[in-house]
Amino acid sequence: MLYALKIATRYLTASKAQTALLVLGVAVGVFIFIFMSALIGGLAEFILSRTAGDISHVTIEAEDTTPALLLTLPGTVLLVQETATETAKLREATSFVPLIEALPEVKAVSPQITGAGFLRRGTQVQQMTIVGLEPGRESAILDLDGYLVAGDARLRSGAVLLGRALVQDMGLVLGQTVQLQSSNGVTAALTLTGIYQIGSGGGPDRRMAYVSLATARTLFAMPQGVSRIEIKLFDLYAADAVTLRVEGLTGLPAKSWTEDGAQLLEALKAQAQTGYFLKTFAMITIIIGVASALLLSTYRRRPEIGIMRAMGASRLFVVGVFVTQGALIGVMGGLFGAGIGYLALLPFPTRDAFRSGTLPMDITQGSYGLAITLTVIGAILASILPARAAARVDPVTAIGQ
Amino acid sequence: MTAAPLLTVTDLVKTFGEGDTATRVLRGLNLTLAKGEMAALLGPSGSGKSTLLTILGTLMQPTSGAHQMLGVDLTTATDAALTQFRNRHIGFVFQFHNLLPDFTALENVIFPTAIREGRETAAARTRGADLLTRMGLAERINFPSANLSGGQKQRVAVARALMNAPELVLADEPTGNLDRASALQVMELIAQINRDEGTTFLISTHDEKIAATCQRQIVVGDGLVTG
């Protein structure tokens, strides 16, 4: 096939302009493929980082410590108001943290004490959810560091982090002391050491107060244990499997994020399918382009094919010449398209720097190798029809042309 | 002493088309060519000369009849076997030289060997260059074939036909497209190779003077050898 390669190369270099146009056409297809891969992948990454990326993928949560047995008499209606006056505890859960951390799928573990409370400043009172985090693990689940707009995310004893919207509503400033009262009735004077803003600054910014685990122990009168353990995974799609492993490992009830995130998963799958369609169309365009160009070449070179056959070239050899041309076009177009695709994606921010308002293109998800491989395979497949047509050329008729 | 036959065709029939439109070009033609012979194939247009050459060159199968060369029955051989046979034992020279335009003179000459070997070997390059030198084209070895004159192209075509040292060279009006001087030059080269290497030539021509340079004249008329 070495000689077929030489002839194929010569044919391509003999018509430089035609070959350049053909390679450019293939490269555009590859560029679209890569661009769509980076966009769909980046978009999924962006959506996930803004949704499931900031939530616990597997959560161990204490069951209600006082489950109530409600009996109603016939003809009566019982109204129950749910209160959170008592924080449920996982007494021995902290001892499982190292075990969970040792699992290869686990990226981070965050033992937490959570509960309801109130934030007071003078006469102003705001109902809050208080989250106690272990110092050093502040950004283990929610990227508090990334969302911080002022101050420090480090949760020292006596420090509190509040959302920007709430700080503005209550007229607070960094370093100011606020009163945080838990549902247990314990009040602590805390210093505002950091202000965060999540997204456009809606709900969570007005609702969540982050304190150290030690502060939370005081507020909720919980000298030991935690109320929940949040686990973040490297691959959030592995959550269901890891949930079962964690349950088996700890004997504690665990919950996967997919139980509440089924719709998000469905949307992401639909988005991925849209990407597959677009990439398939790009590939079909490449195949049609290569096939039509090579068919034209076959027709133009009929007399030469006739001479080759008369000189003793087998049909297989002729097929080899045209399939090799297709492969070369695929390789050149694939590499060129991948190159310009990569260069075009360079100016976009990296996945870690995605911000609202920017196109979430992920240069690492360009599927360059896949694009080149599929293009070469596609170009080879596209060349089979013209190659077979060339092999069927009758030398007597072709030489007489 | 009679030379051993190189090829024999017996009762060769070739019909194109079917039914009312069928045209019988060869009508039971018989011919034997001896090894080392240089024969001219004469006859008016439509007499069947080109069809006969095409069949002898294994580019086409006869409708009926026997065709043997070097003891091989070529009427029953497969397409792949005929292709291989053609590459090893038969050379072609066409009226319009039919070189590969994107290749140099040398690349055109060594083409039949490169196909057989799967690559261009050094030995093939040496033989190709020698043949071109014998054809008086030493200065044009690496010239693009498209830039050669008509006479030069035809000499390259003769060199290509000889590259695999075939037993038989079939030439279809090899001088038909050349001026008188170039035509005689090409014929002189063919005659020299025939003498030196004993290659058998069958040359189709309309030109009586060209035919006269051959040892034997075979006249075809109405699909039969008539003289």
Short mmCIF file of all heavy atoms in Angstrom, two decimals, chain A residues 2-3 6-7 10-11 14 301 304 307-315 317 395-396 399, chain B residues 54 59 79 83 86-87 92 94 98-103 107 111 114-115 118-120 160:
data_model
loop_
_atom_site.label_atom_id
_atom_site.label_comp_id
_atom_site.label_asym_id
_atom_site.label_seq_id
_atom_site.Cartn_x
_atom_site.Cartn_y
_atom_site.Cartn_z
N LEU A 2 2.18 1.07 0.11
CA LEU A 2 3.07 2.22 0.12
C LEU A 2 2.97 2.98 -1.20
O LEU A 2 2.96 4.22 -1.22
CB LEU A 2 4.51 1.72 0.34
CG LEU A 2 5.47 2.70 0.96
CD1 LEU A 2 5.01 3.08 2.36
CD2 LEU A 2 6.87 2.10 1.02
N TYR A 3 2.86 2.22 -2.29
CA TYR A 3 2.78 2.86 -3.60
C TYR A 3 1.42 3.53 -3.80
O TYR A 3 1.33 4.60 -4.42
CB TYR A 3 3.05 1.82 -4.69
CG TYR A 3 3.34 2.45 -6.02
CD1 TYR A 3 4.34 3.42 -6.15
CD2 TYR A 3 2.62 2.11 -7.15
CE1 TYR A 3 4.60 4.03 -7.36
CE2 TYR A 3 2.88 2.70 -8.37
CZ TYR A 3 3.87 3.67 -8.47
OH TYR A 3 4.11 4.27 -9.67
N LYS A 6 1.66 6.79 -2.26
CA LYS A 6 2.37 7.76 -3.08
C LYS A 6 1.45 8.36 -4.15
O LYS A 6 1.42 9.57 -4.36
CB LYS A 6 3.59 7.11 -3.74
CG LYS A 6 4.28 8.09 -4.67
CD LYS A 6 5.48 7.58 -5.37
CE LYS A 6 5.94 8.66 -6.36
NZ LYS A 6 7.28 8.49 -6.82
N ILE A 7 0.70 7.46 -4.81
CA ILE A 7 -0.19 7.95 -5.88
C ILE A 7 -1.28 8.85 -5.29
O ILE A 7 -1.58 9.91 -5.83
CB ILE A 7 -0.80 6.76 -6.65
CG1 ILE A 7 0.33 6.02 -7.38
CG2 ILE A 7 -1.85 7.22 -7.63
CD1 ILE A 7 -0.10 4.80 -8.13
N ARG A 10 0.19 12.14 -4.53
CA ARG A 10 0.46 12.89 -5.75
C ARG A 10 -0.84 13.48 -6.31
O ARG A 10 -0.87 14.61 -6.77
CB ARG A 10 1.12 11.97 -6.78
CG ARG A 10 1.56 12.67 -8.06
CD ARG A 10 2.64 13.72 -7.77
NE ARG A 10 3.79 13.16 -7.14
CZ ARG A 10 4.81 12.58 -7.78
NH1 ARG A 10 4.81 12.53 -9.09
NH2 ARG A 10 5.83 12.10 -7.11
N TYR A 11 -1.89 12.70 -6.29
CA TYR A 11 -3.17 13.20 -6.80
C TYR A 11 -3.65 14.41 -5.98
O TYR A 11 -4.18 15.36 -6.53
CB TYR A 11 -4.24 12.09 -6.75
CG TYR A 11 -4.18 11.14 -7.94
CD1 TYR A 11 -5.02 10.05 -8.02
CD2 TYR A 11 -3.27 11.35 -8.97
CE1 TYR A 11 -4.96 9.17 -9.10
CE2 TYR A 11 -3.20 10.48 -10.05
CZ TYR A 11 -4.05 9.40 -10.11
OH TYR A 11 -3.99 8.55 -11.17
N ALA A 14 -1.40 17.35 -6.74
CA ALA A 14 -1.51 17.83 -8.13
C ALA A 14 -2.61 18.88 -8.27
O ALA A 14 -2.51 19.79 -9.09
CB ALA A 14 -1.78 16.65 -9.06
N ARG A 301 -10.48 11.39 -13.37
CA ARG A 301 -9.28 10.58 -13.56
C ARG A 301 -9.58 9.22 -14.19
O ARG A 301 -8.75 8.31 -14.12
CB ARG A 301 -8.56 10.39 -12.22
CG ARG A 301 -8.00 11.68 -11.67
CD ARG A 301 -7.02 11.46 -10.57
NE ARG A 301 -6.51 12.71 -10.02
CZ ARG A 301 -5.47 13.39 -10.52
NH1 ARG A 301 -4.85 12.95 -11.59
NH2 ARG A 301 -5.07 14.51 -9.95
N GLU A 304 -6.88 7.86 -16.46
CA GLU A 304 -5.68 7.41 -15.72
C GLU A 304 -5.94 6.09 -15.00
O GLU A 304 -5.05 5.24 -14.92
CB GLU A 304 -5.28 8.48 -14.70
CG GLU A 304 -4.76 9.75 -15.36
CD GLU A 304 -4.54 10.85 -14.37
OE1 GLU A 304 -3.86 10.61 -13.37
OE2 GLU A 304 -5.09 11.95 -14.59
N ILE A 307 -5.54 3.48 -17.51
CA ILE A 307 -4.13 3.17 -17.79
C ILE A 307 -3.56 2.28 -16.68
O ILE A 307 -2.88 1.28 -16.95
CB ILE A 307 -3.30 4.47 -17.87
CG1 ILE A 307 -3.79 5.34 -19.03
CG2 ILE A 307 -1.82 4.16 -18.06
CD1 ILE A 307 -3.32 6.77 -18.93
N MET A 308 -3.87 2.64 -15.43
CA MET A 308 -3.37 1.84 -14.30
C MET A 308 -3.82 0.39 -14.43
O MET A 308 -3.03 -0.53 -14.25
CB MET A 308 -3.91 2.41 -12.98
CG MET A 308 -3.25 3.68 -12.53
SD MET A 308 -3.85 4.04 -10.87
CE MET A 308 -3.65 5.79 -10.83
N ARG A 309 -5.11 0.24 -14.77
CA ARG A 309 -5.63 -1.13 -14.90
C ARG A 309 -4.94 -1.85 -16.05
O ARG A 309 -4.62 -3.03 -15.95
CB ARG A 309 -7.16 -1.09 -15.13
CG ARG A 309 -7.94 -0.54 -13.95
CD ARG A 309 -8.19 -1.58 -12.87
NE ARG A 309 -9.11 -2.61 -13.31
CZ ARG A 309 -8.86 -3.91 -13.22
NH1 ARG A 309 -7.73 -4.32 -12.70
NH2 ARG A 309 -9.74 -4.80 -13.63
N ALA A 310 -4.72 -1.13 -17.16
CA ALA A 310 -4.06 -1.75 -18.30
C ALA A 310 -2.63 -2.15 -17.96
O ALA A 310 -2.11 -3.15 -18.46
CB ALA A 310 -4.07 -0.79 -19.49
N MET A 311 -1.99 -1.39 -17.09
CA MET A 311 -0.60 -1.67 -16.70
C MET A 311 -0.53 -2.79 -15.65
O MET A 311 0.55 -3.14 -15.20
CB MET A 311 0.07 -0.43 -16.11
CG MET A 311 0.22 0.72 -17.07
SD MET A 311 1.28 0.27 -18.44
CE MET A 311 0.30 0.83 -19.80
N GLY A 312 -1.68 -3.27 -15.24
CA GLY A 312 -1.68 -4.40 -14.31
C GLY A 312 -2.04 -4.05 -12.88
O GLY A 312 -1.81 -4.85 -11.97
N ALA A 313 -2.61 -2.85 -12.68
CA ALA A 313 -3.05 -2.50 -11.32
C ALA A 313 -4.35 -3.24 -11.02
O ALA A 313 -5.28 -3.22 -11.83
CB ALA A 313 -3.28 -0.99 -11.22
N SER A 314 -4.40 -3.90 -9.88
CA SER A 314 -5.61 -4.65 -9.52
C SER A 314 -6.71 -3.68 -9.08
O SER A 314 -6.45 -2.52 -8.78
CB SER A 314 -5.30 -5.62 -8.39
OG SER A 314 -4.94 -4.88 -7.23
N ARG A 315 -7.93 -4.20 -9.05
CA ARG A 315 -9.05 -3.39 -8.56
C ARG A 315 -8.79 -2.96 -7.12
O ARG A 315 -9.10 -1.83 -6.72
CB ARG A 315 -10.36 -4.19 -8.62
CG ARG A 315 -10.84 -4.46 -10.02
CD ARG A 315 -12.18 -5.20 -10.00
NE ARG A 315 -12.46 -5.82 -11.28
CZ ARG A 315 -13.02 -5.19 -12.31
NH1 ARG A 315 -13.34 -3.94 -12.20
NH2 ARG A 315 -13.24 -5.83 -13.44
N PHE A 317 -5.97 -2.37 -5.74
CA PHE A 317 -4.98 -1.29 -5.73
C PHE A 317 -5.68 0.06 -6.00
O PHE A 317 -5.41 1.05 -5.32
CB PHE A 317 -3.92 -1.55 -6.79
CG PHE A 317 -2.88 -0.48 -6.88
CD1 PHE A 317 -1.79 -0.47 -6.01
CD2 PHE A 317 -2.98 0.55 -7.81
CE1 PHE A 317 -0.84 0.54 -6.07
CE2 PHE A 317 -2.04 1.56 -7.88
CZ PHE A 317 -0.96 1.55 -7.01
N PRO A 395 -11.13 -0.41 -18.35
CA PRO A 395 -9.93 0.23 -18.90
C PRO A 395 -10.04 0.54 -20.39
O PRO A 395 -9.56 1.56 -20.85
CB PRO A 395 -8.82 -0.79 -18.62
CG PRO A 395 -9.48 -2.05 -18.23
CD PRO A 395 -10.83 -1.69 -17.72
N VAL A 396 -10.71 -0.35 -21.15
CA VAL A 396 -10.81 -0.13 -22.60
C VAL A 396 -11.59 1.15 -22.88
O VAL A 396 -11.16 2.01 -23.66
CB VAL A 396 -11.51 -1.35 -23.27
CG1 VAL A 396 -11.63 -1.13 -24.76
CG2 VAL A 396 -10.73 -2.62 -22.97
N ILE A 399 -9.56 4.34 -21.44
CA ILE A 399 -8.39 4.76 -22.23
C ILE A 399 -8.84 5.43 -23.52
O ILE A 399 -8.22 6.36 -24.00
CB ILE A 399 -7.48 3.54 -22.52
CG1 ILE A 399 -6.86 3.06 -21.21
CG2 ILE A 399 -6.39 3.89 -23.52
CD1 ILE A 399 -6.18 1.71 -21.31
N THR B 54 -7.15 -5.62 -27.93
CA THR B 54 -7.71 -5.53 -26.57
C THR B 54 -7.88 -6.92 -25.97
O THR B 54 -7.58 -7.13 -24.79
CB THR B 54 -9.08 -4.80 -26.63
OG1 THR B 54 -8.90 -3.57 -27.30
CG2 THR B 54 -9.62 -4.54 -25.24
N LEU B 59 -7.54 -7.26 -21.78
CA LEU B 59 -8.39 -6.19 -21.26
C LEU B 59 -9.86 -6.50 -21.54
O LEU B 59 -10.75 -5.83 -21.02
CB LEU B 59 -8.02 -4.85 -21.89
CG LEU B 59 -6.64 -4.28 -21.50
CD1 LEU B 59 -6.27 -3.09 -22.36
CD2 LEU B 59 -6.60 -3.91 -20.02
N ASP B 79 -10.53 -12.27 -13.30
CA ASP B 79 -10.08 -10.89 -13.54
C ASP B 79 -8.75 -10.63 -12.83
O ASP B 79 -7.84 -10.01 -13.39
CB ASP B 79 -11.14 -9.90 -13.04
CG ASP B 79 -10.72 -8.47 -13.28
OD1 ASP B 79 -10.75 -8.04 -14.43
OD2 ASP B 79 -10.33 -7.79 -12.30
N THR B 83 -5.21 -9.70 -14.58
CA THR B 83 -4.52 -8.46 -14.23
C THR B 83 -3.05 -8.74 -13.92
O THR B 83 -2.16 -8.03 -14.39
CB THR B 83 -5.20 -7.81 -12.99
OG1 THR B 83 -6.56 -7.56 -13.31
CG2 THR B 83 -4.54 -6.50 -12.61
N ARG B 86 -1.23 -9.77 -17.14
CA ARG B 86 -1.00 -8.58 -17.98
C ARG B 86 0.22 -7.81 -17.46
O ARG B 86 1.06 -7.36 -18.23
CB ARG B 86 -2.26 -7.72 -17.89
CG ARG B 86 -2.33 -6.59 -18.87
CD ARG B 86 -3.77 -6.13 -19.04
NE ARG B 86 -4.37 -5.61 -17.83
CZ ARG B 86 -5.52 -6.02 -17.33
NH1 ARG B 86 -6.18 -6.99 -17.90
NH2 ARG B 86 -6.00 -5.48 -16.24
N ASN B 87 0.29 -7.65 -16.15
CA ASN B 87 1.38 -6.88 -15.54
C ASN B 87 2.74 -7.53 -15.81
O ASN B 87 3.72 -6.84 -16.07
CB ASN B 87 1.14 -6.73 -14.04
CG ASN B 87 2.27 -6.01 -13.33
OD1 ASN B 87 3.12 -6.64 -12.72
ND2 ASN B 87 2.27 -4.69 -13.44
N PHE B 92 1.95 -2.40 -23.15
CA PHE B 92 1.05 -1.68 -24.06
C PHE B 92 1.68 -0.36 -24.49
O PHE B 92 2.29 0.34 -23.69
CB PHE B 92 -0.27 -1.32 -23.36
CG PHE B 92 -1.16 -2.50 -23.10
CD1 PHE B 92 -1.09 -3.18 -21.90
CD2 PHE B 92 -2.07 -2.91 -24.06
CE1 PHE B 92 -1.91 -4.26 -21.65
CE2 PHE B 92 -2.90 -4.00 -23.81
CZ PHE B 92 -2.82 -4.68 -22.60
N PHE B 94 -0.04 2.90 -26.48
CA PHE B 94 -1.29 3.39 -27.07
C PHE B 94 -1.00 4.54 -28.04
O PHE B 94 0.06 5.15 -28.02
CB PHE B 94 -2.23 3.90 -25.97
CG PHE B 94 -2.52 2.87 -24.91
CD1 PHE B 94 -1.86 2.89 -23.69
CD2 PHE B 94 -3.44 1.87 -25.15
CE1 PHE B 94 -2.12 1.95 -22.72
CE2 PHE B 94 -3.70 0.91 -24.18
CZ PHE B 94 -3.04 0.94 -22.96
N ASN B 98 -0.90 7.99 -23.45
CA ASN B 98 -1.59 7.69 -22.19
C ASN B 98 -0.64 7.59 -20.99
O ASN B 98 -0.66 6.61 -20.24
CB ASN B 98 -2.44 6.42 -22.29
CG ASN B 98 -3.64 6.63 -23.20
OD1 ASN B 98 -3.64 6.20 -24.33
ND2 ASN B 98 -4.63 7.33 -22.70
N LEU B 99 0.13 8.63 -20.80
CA LEU B 99 0.98 8.69 -19.59
C LEU B 99 0.17 9.27 -18.44
O LEU B 99 -0.88 9.90 -18.65
CB LEU B 99 2.20 9.58 -19.85
CG LEU B 99 3.15 9.13 -20.96
CD1 LEU B 99 4.33 10.11 -21.06
CD2 LEU B 99 3.66 7.72 -20.74
N LEU B 100 0.66 9.06 -17.24
CA LEU B 100 0.01 9.66 -16.07
C LEU B 100 0.55 11.10 -15.95
O LEU B 100 1.74 11.29 -15.71
CB LEU B 100 0.34 8.85 -14.80
CG LEU B 100 -0.11 7.39 -14.85
CD1 LEU B 100 0.44 6.62 -13.65
CD2 LEU B 100 -1.63 7.29 -14.88
N PRO B 101 -0.29 12.09 -16.17
CA PRO B 101 0.20 13.47 -16.32
C PRO B 101 0.84 14.07 -15.06
O PRO B 101 1.66 14.97 -15.17
CB PRO B 101 -1.05 14.26 -16.71
CG PRO B 101 -2.20 13.43 -16.25
CD PRO B 101 -1.75 12.01 -16.32
N ASP B 102 0.49 13.55 -13.90
CA ASP B 102 1.03 14.14 -12.66
C ASP B 102 2.34 13.48 -12.22
O ASP B 102 2.83 13.76 -11.13
CB ASP B 102 -0.01 14.02 -11.53
CG ASP B 102 -1.28 14.76 -11.87
OD1 ASP B 102 -1.17 15.87 -12.40
OD2 ASP B 102 -2.38 14.22 -11.64
N PHE B 103 2.87 12.62 -13.08
CA PHE B 103 4.09 11.90 -12.72
C PHE B 103 5.21 12.25 -13.70
O PHE B 103 4.95 12.65 -14.83
CB PHE B 103 3.82 10.39 -12.74
CG PHE B 103 2.90 9.95 -11.63
CD1 PHE B 103 1.54 10.19 -11.69
CD2 PHE B 103 3.41 9.30 -10.51
CE1 PHE B 103 0.69 9.81 -10.67
CE2 PHE B 103 2.56 8.91 -9.49
CZ PHE B 103 1.20 9.16 -9.56
N GLU B 107 8.87 8.11 -13.29
CA GLU B 107 7.78 7.52 -12.49
C GLU B 107 6.79 6.79 -13.39
O GLU B 107 6.25 5.74 -13.02
CB GLU B 107 7.06 8.61 -11.69
CG GLU B 107 7.88 9.11 -10.51
CD GLU B 107 7.29 10.36 -9.86
OE1 GLU B 107 6.59 11.12 -10.56
OE2 GLU B 107 7.55 10.58 -8.68
N PHE B 111 6.17 2.57 -13.36
CA PHE B 111 4.84 2.29 -12.81
C PHE B 111 4.47 0.80 -12.79
O PHE B 111 4.05 0.27 -11.75
CB PHE B 111 3.79 3.11 -13.59
CG PHE B 111 2.41 3.04 -13.03
CD1 PHE B 111 2.03 3.83 -11.97
CD2 PHE B 111 1.48 2.14 -13.54
CE1 PHE B 111 0.76 3.75 -11.43
CE2 PHE B 111 0.22 2.05 -13.01
CZ PHE B 111 -0.15 2.86 -11.96
N ALA B 114 6.42 -0.88 -10.03
CA ALA B 114 6.04 -0.40 -8.70
C ALA B 114 4.72 -1.03 -8.26
O ALA B 114 4.54 -1.36 -7.08
CB ALA B 114 5.93 1.12 -8.71
N ILE B 115 3.81 -1.22 -9.21
CA ILE B 115 2.53 -1.88 -8.88
C ILE B 115 2.80 -3.31 -8.40
O ILE B 115 2.25 -3.77 -7.41
CB ILE B 115 1.60 -1.90 -10.12
CG1 ILE B 115 1.03 -0.50 -10.35
CG2 ILE B 115 0.47 -2.90 -9.92
CD1 ILE B 115 0.25 -0.40 -11.63
N GLY B 118 4.86 -3.10 -5.09
CA GLY B 118 4.19 -2.37 -4.00
C GLY B 118 4.93 -1.11 -3.60
O GLY B 118 4.50 -0.38 -2.71
N ARG B 119 6.05 -0.83 -4.25
CA ARG B 119 6.82 0.39 -3.97
C ARG B 119 7.82 0.60 -5.12
O ARG B 119 8.04 -0.29 -5.93
CB ARG B 119 7.54 0.28 -2.64
CG ARG B 119 8.56 -0.82 -2.58
CD ARG B 119 8.98 -1.14 -1.15
NE ARG B 119 9.88 -2.25 -1.12
CZ ARG B 119 11.20 -2.16 -1.10
NH1 ARG B 119 11.77 -0.98 -1.08
NH2 ARG B 119 11.97 -3.22 -1.09
N GLU B 120 8.41 1.77 -5.12
CA GLU B 120 9.41 2.08 -6.15
C GLU B 120 10.79 1.67 -5.63
O GLU B 120 11.35 2.33 -4.76
CB GLU B 120 9.39 3.58 -6.46
CG GLU B 120 8.14 4.03 -7.20
CD GLU B 120 8.13 5.53 -7.44
OE1 GLU B 120 8.93 6.25 -6.82
OE2 GLU B 120 7.31 5.97 -8.26
N ARG B 160 7.94 2.41 -20.85
CA ARG B 160 7.03 1.87 -19.82
C ARG B 160 6.56 0.46 -20.22
O ARG B 160 6.50 -0.45 -19.37
CB ARG B 160 5.82 2.80 -19.65
CG ARG B 160 4.84 2.32 -18.60
CD ARG B 160 3.67 3.29 -18.45
NE ARG B 160 2.89 3.40 -19.68
CZ ARG B 160 1.87 4.25 -19.84
NH1 ARG B 160 1.53 5.07 -18.85
NH2 ARG B 160 1.21 4.30 -20.97
#
